[in-house]
Each structure stands twice: as C-alpha cells, then as structure tokens.
Amino acid sequence: MIATVISIAGTLADALLSGLLSGRQARAALRDSETAGRRRDAVDAVAALVAAVAAHRAAMRHRETLRLTGEDWTEARRHSRTTAPPSPPRPSVSRSWPHRPPAPPRTRLHAPPTPCATPTALKP
C-alpha cells in the first residue's frame, strides 16, 4: 500500500517537474528569439543610418567641389539637402524593453489660492 502511494507521488512529481522544465525551456527559447530579433533590427537600423550618412557626405563633397571651382551648384545643393540622414526608426519591438518606469505625476509647487471670507459673504 505504501509502495503504491510512493509510486503515485513519484509519478505526479515527475509530471510536475517535466512540465516546469518544458515551460522554462519554452520561455528561454522565446527570449532568445526576441533578443535575436532586436539585435537584427538594431543592426539593420545602424546599417541604414550609415548608408544615409555616406550618401549625404558624398553629395556634400560633390556640392562643395562644384562651389569651390566656381560652377553652378544649385542642383547639387538641392540634392545634398535631400540626402540628409533620416530620423531614427521607430522601434518594432514591445516597449517593455528596456523598461523605463513611468514618470512621477506632476505636483504643484504652491496650493491654489483659497477664497477669503469677507464680511458680506458671512451675512445670511
């Protein structure tokens, strides 16, 4: 009888431990895939920024070369202004990483003025 209870308890403990370990493994795999996705997005954003800066520098060099040689550089100026580096890309991942705590609520430095009691206000 005791052997049966021990074997049932062991089977239940084994099932519980297997479930906990598989859940932990699934969470670790998800975390690793999210980290790889964030890293890939960051590398893509940096590569796009570097390409945009390189194109802008090339356009600026061409523009200044035309300007210093005395040639017409108005078209080159327009082109150099369109190759300015873009604004940073919006994040495609959840905003929970990196975690930023919410800003504290704003408080007033001074209390709002309270109405003064005047003799006319006290009369019924």
Side-chain angles (χ1 to χ4, degrees):
M1 175 75 179
I2 293 177
T4 306
V5 172
I6 291 174
S7 67
I8 291 173
T11 303
L12 291 175
D14 181 41
L16 180 66
L17 183 61
S18 297
L20 290 174
L21 290 177
S22 66
R24 184 175 178 183
Q25 185 179 9
R27 282 191 305 273
L30 179 64
R31 185 177 51 240
D32 291 344
S33 68
E34 287 177 351
T35 302
R38 279 191 219 108
R39 185 175 294 128
R40 184 180 57 247
D41 291 345
V43 169
D44 290 346
V46 169
L49 181 63
V50 168
V53 168
H56 180 66
R57 289 184 67 197
M60 290 294 292
R61 181 174 181 197
H62 178 69
R63 181 187 89 174
E64 290 302 310
T65 302
L66 291 177
R67 187 179 66 84
L68 291 174
T69 57
E71 298 177 33
D72 184 28
W73 54 283
T74 55
E75 182 64 26
R77 180 176 61 183
R78 185 192 61 76
H79 180 67
S80 70
R81 290 183 178 174
T82 60
T83 61
S87 61
R90 300 186 72 173
S92 62
V93 295
S94 67
R95 296 223 179 240
S96 63
W97 184 86
H99 176 68
R100 290 186 181 171
R106 295 183 180 246
T107 58
R108 294 183 181 184
L109 295 176
H110 304 286
T114 56
C116 297
T118 59
T120 55
L122 297 177
K123 291 182 181 179

